């Protein structure tokens, strides 16, 4: 497991007992303690309530004494269970000896960590280990009592896993691994996975997550950002869900980056280029400041390292009061002393005021190492629904950039295109009008984009089936509309280029 400190690890299960971990995994699977088994036992409403940190519906649904109900109460709801009953379901004494369980009052035992069933992308039965109180709905306020707490699966974790390009590669780096969910996903398509974290508890828990999920072990290294890496060490894939919260200080390890403003995310992105192999991808979740008098997109473009294409998507923007309230509640501060809560709230607003920050953006940043002399940087706001997983859409986006970079307008007119799957056309106008006011093409997959096109663009897209060149299609449209074919060929490539860039048209 590398040079992982033993500090604060005494309360965690042993990561050096693969025999016990394998027996525990078999017992969990045998009792259907899986994502599908949970949904069937609890029902959709109680299952969904867990993500909101509400456990009462699940407690009501596990009043029986089946093996699955016992395991849900023990590992997911943190309820003590009679030792004799646990021994009927799993190797209780071995789990006590190796630290998965601990004796409580009387003849009962309790779990020392949370274990949450998690379904892999191909239906794999995985288990995410986290600190007590963190498997259900995030930290639920435990962060205010334990600064080094390791969270389980949250919305940010699944978002990052969904946008990651899953091409089989040799090496991957999970930077700030937490409970190990990104390393677990990477283990499916990467030969060697390295996982780093500043928190030694996180590295220990990552080892448990991988082992209990039946995944290969990762190379675990303790340290901040890229510090644990050796000189010249590079990767085909880098993923990071860092402690990106912009806060006054670094009170909570799992959340606060410890640098001023959005400097942690900027540092992470700007230093990633030299750690990527040619053609490699880096995926980050991030927060960024909206500073008075500054365009947020320009701010983010300045982060992109030399030699990298970038796709930056802003998914949400919150004003500074909303942002402070969100993360104060995340830590459970709103449940404590009122004066202390108000003082912390005030400190957040002081921090933002000093930096002239009016709002905070959230989204994802994808880099691809390219040898191009003129890298492409795309920044956009996209608060609309998307279809996860998005990894293939992300990979295709960069493939299309390569295509457009090597095809000038003349080459586009000689190329053939096909209309992407599940694109529909919508016509917008007044009822009864002879002609629509405008035409919209809409994707039902991936980013689910919609783009407005003129009559020529709609007609062009509609007949793209890969059989005719773009130029011949435009000549036919010109004849149909009575337009000058040369003028149409001159003005239409820009629209074709946009439709290709946004994924409505694909090179044949």
């Amino acid at each position: 497991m590398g040079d992982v400190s033993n500090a604060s690890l005494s309360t965690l299960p042993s990561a050096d007992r693969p025999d016990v971990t394998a027996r525990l995994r078999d017992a969990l699977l045998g009792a259907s303690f899986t994502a599908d088994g949970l949904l069937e036992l609890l029902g959709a409403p109680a299952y969904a309530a867990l993500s909101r940190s509400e456990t009462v519906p699940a407690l009501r649904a596990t009043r029986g004494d089946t093996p699955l109900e016992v395991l849900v109460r023990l590992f997911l709801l943190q309820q003590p269970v009679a030792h004799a009953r646990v021994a009927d379901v799993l190797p209780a004494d071995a789990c006590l000896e190796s630290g998965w369980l601990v004796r409580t009052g009387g003849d009962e035992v309790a779990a020392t960590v949370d274990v949450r069933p998690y379904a892999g992308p191909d239906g794999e039965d995985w288990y995410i280990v986290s600190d007590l109180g963190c498997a259900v709905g995030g930290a639920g306020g435990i962060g205010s009592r334990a600064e080094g707490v390791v969270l389980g699966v949250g919305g940010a974790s699944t978002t990052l896993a969904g946008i990651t390009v899953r091409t089989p590669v040799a090496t991957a780096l999970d930077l700030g691994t937490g409970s190990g969910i990104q390393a677990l996903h990477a283990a499916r398509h990467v030969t060697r996975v390295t996982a780093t974290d500043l928190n030694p508890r996180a590295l220990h828990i990552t080892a448990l997550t991988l082992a209990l999920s039946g995944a290969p072990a990762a190379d675990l290294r303790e340290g901040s950002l890229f510090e644990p890496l050796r000189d010249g060490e590079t990767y085909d894939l880098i993923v990071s869900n860092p402690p990106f919260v912009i806060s006054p200080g670094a009170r909570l390890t799992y959340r606060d980056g410890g640098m001023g403003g959005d400097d942690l995310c900027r540092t992470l992105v700007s230093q990633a280029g030299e750690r990527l192999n040619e053609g490699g991808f880096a995926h980050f979740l991030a927060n960024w400041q909206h500073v008075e008098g500054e365009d947020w997109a320009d701010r983010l473009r300045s982060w992109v390292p030399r030699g990298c294409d970038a796709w930056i998507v802003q998914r949400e923007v919150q004003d500074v009061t909303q942002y402070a309230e969100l993360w104060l509640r995340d830590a459970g501060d709103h449940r404590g002393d009122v004066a202390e809560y108000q003082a912390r709230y005030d400190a957040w607003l002081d921090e933002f005021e000093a930096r002239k920050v009016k709002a905070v953006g959230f989204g994802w940043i994808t880099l691809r190492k390219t040898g191009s002399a003129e890298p492409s940087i795309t920044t956009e706001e996209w608060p609309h629904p998307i279809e996860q997983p998005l990894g293939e859409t992300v990979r295709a986006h960069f493939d299309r950039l390569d295509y457009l970079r090597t095809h000038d307008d003349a080459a586009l007119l000689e190329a053939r295109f096909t209309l992407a799957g599940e694109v529909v056309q919508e016509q917008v106008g007044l009822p009864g009008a002879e002609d629509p006011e405008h035409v919209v093409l809409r994707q039902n997959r991936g980013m689910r984009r919609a783009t407005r096109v003129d009559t020529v663009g709609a007609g062009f897209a509609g007949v793209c089936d890969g059989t005719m060149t773009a130029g011949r299609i435009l000549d036919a449209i010109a004849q149909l509309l009575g337009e000058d074919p040369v003028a149409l060929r001159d003005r239409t490539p820009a629209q074709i280029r946009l439709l290709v860039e946004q994924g409505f048209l694909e090179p044949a």
Side-chain angles (χ1 to χ4, degrees):
M1 199 165 76
D3 298 326
V4 179
S5 168
N6 290 322
S8 77
L9 306 183
S10 59
T11 60
L12 295 176
S14 171
D16 300 320
R17 291 294 305 273
D19 55 328
V20 177
T21 305
R23 291 172 62 195
L24 176 57
R25 173 175 170 79
D26 289 343
L28 299 180
L29 292 173
S32 296
F33 186 61
T34 62
D36 288 342
L38 274 186
L39 182 59
E40 183 176 349
L41 171 66
L42 302 179
Y47 189 77
L50 291 176
S51 66
R52 303 190 300 269
S53 302
E54 298 293 347
T55 58
V56 172
L59 288 167
R60 290 172 62 87
T62 55
R63 290 171 170 170
D65 201 36
T66 66
L68 179 55
E69 288 169 305
V70 168
L71 292 176
V72 172
R73 289 200 303 273
L74 184 66
F75 283 118
L76 198 58
L77 302 177
Q78 300 94 55
Q79 301 295 305
V81 179
H83 175 274
R85 185 66 192 101
V86 173
D88 291 337
V89 181
L90 50 78
D93 290 337
C95 287
L96 281 166
E97 179 191 354
S98 59
W100 287 96
L101 301 175
V102 64
R103 291 189 181 274
T104 60
D107 62 349
E108 292 182 324
V109 296
T112 57
V113 289
D114 283 355
V115 177
R116 175 174 172 175
Y118 180 82
D122 291 327
E124 301 95 337
D125 289 315
W126 289 343
Y127 297 99
I128 309 299
V129 181
S130 62
D131 272 314
L132 290 174
C134 294
V136 174
I142 194 172
S144 61
R145 303 189 299 277
E147 295 182 2
V149 71
V150 179
L151 299 192
V153 181
S157 302
T158 54
T159 294
L160 179 59
I163 67 172
T164 300
V165 174
R166 297 298 174 190
T167 306
V169 292
T171 57
L173 171 65
D174 176 13
L175 196 152
T177 185
S179 60
I181 181 173
Q182 307 305 329
L184 184 56
H185 276 278
R188 296 177 59 251
H189 64 101
V190 178
T191 304
R192 180 174 61 83
V193 177
T194 300
T196 70
D197 205 289
L198 183 64
N199 183 1
R201 287 183 68 83
L203 296 175
H204 191 99
I205 284 177
T206 290
L208 297 174
T209 289
L210 294 172
L212 195 59
S213 299
D219 177 7
L220 304 179
R221 304 184 196 176
E222 184 179 342
S224 176
L225 300 179
F226 295 103
E227 290 175 3
L229 306 188
R230 294 182 287 273
D231 288 345
E233 193 171 3
T234 57
Y235 293 86
D236 301 310
L237 173 67
I238 298 174
V239 292
S240 184
N241 176 19
F244 53 65
V245 176
I246 300 170
S247 61
R251 185 163 60 101
L252 306 179
T253 302
Y254 73 87
R255 187 191 77 177
D256 305 322
M259 296 185 183
D262 52 18
D263 282 355
L264 182 134
C265 291
R266 176 187 57 79
T267 301
L268 187 60
V269 174
S270 63
Q271 292 182 0
E274 62 192 48
R275 294 296 184 174
L276 272 179
N277 291 328
E278 196 73 17
F281 284 92
H283 303 274
F284 308 100
L285 297 188
N287 277 180
W288 44 81
Q289 299 172 149
H290 284 228
V291 179
E292 292 180 18
E294 179 181 276
D295 183 85
W296 73 267
D298 289 341
R299 183 182 189 85
L300 272 291
R301 288 189 192 98
S302 73
W303 294 4
V304 177
R306 293 171 61 88
C308 288
D309 290 336
W311 185 15
I312 300 166
V313 181
Q314 181 166 268
R315 295 286 289 157
E316 184 180 1
V317 180
Q318 290 186 322
D319 67 50
V320 292
T321 59
Q322 292 174 309
Y323 188 80
E325 291 162 14
L326 169 68
W327 294 109
L328 286 166
R329 288 180 175 272
D330 172 80
D333 291 331
H334 62 299
R335 302 195 194 103
D337 179 79
V338 173
E340 187 175 350
Y341 170 80
Q342 291 177 339
R344 283 180 172 159
Y345 197 148
D346 211 33
W348 283 66
L349 298 186
D350 283 344
E351 176 83 2
F352 287 131
E353 185 176 340
R355 295 179 175 276
K356 297 183 178 181
V357 176
K358 59 184 179 179
V360 177
F362 168 81
W364 64 71
I365 299 171
T366 298
L367 306 177
R368 185 194 56 168
K369 190 70 170 287
T370 173
S372 173
E374 297 183 9
S376 169
I377 301 176
T378 303
T379 59
E380 61 178 319
E381 292 191 65
W382 194 255
H384 313 294
I386 60 172
E387 180 192 43
Q388 285 276 35
L390 205 65
E392 182 58 25
T393 299
V394 173
R395 185 199 60 75
H397 167 86
F398 287 95
D399 284 350
R400 292 194 301 271
L401 288 183
D402 283 344
Y403 178 86
L404 292 172
R405 194 154 34 206
T406 56
H407 287 71
D408 60 15
D409 287 354
L412 282 184
L413 293 175
E414 291 302 314
R416 291 174 169 81
F417 301 95
T418 58
L419 187 65
E422 298 197 38
V423 172
V424 297
Q425 176 178 305
E426 300 174 357
Q427 298 188 166
V428 181
L430 293 174
E434 183 174 344
D435 296 313
E437 292 180 13
H438 60 264
V439 178
V440 172
L441 299 182
R442 186 178 301 277
Q443 300 168 346
N444 287 321
R445 304 296 301 272
M447 292 292 285
R448 293 177 173 162
R449 296 187 185 280
T451 191
R452 184 171 171 173
V453 293
D454 60 18
T455 303
V456 172
F460 180 87
V463 297
C464 279
D465 60 3
T467 60
M468 296 173 59
T469 66
R472 287 188 60 194
I473 293 174
L474 291 179
D475 290 344
I477 292 175
Q479 185 175 5
L480 185 65
L481 298 179
E483 291 200 28
D484 179 0
V486 175
L488 196 62
R489 278 175 171 253
D490 285 344
R491 78 167 193 261
T492 307
Q495 191 168 188
I496 296 173
R497 193 171 291 276
L498 179 65
L499 291 174
V500 172
E501 180 182 337
Q502 294 191 345
F504 290 92
L505 295 178
E506 298 173 349

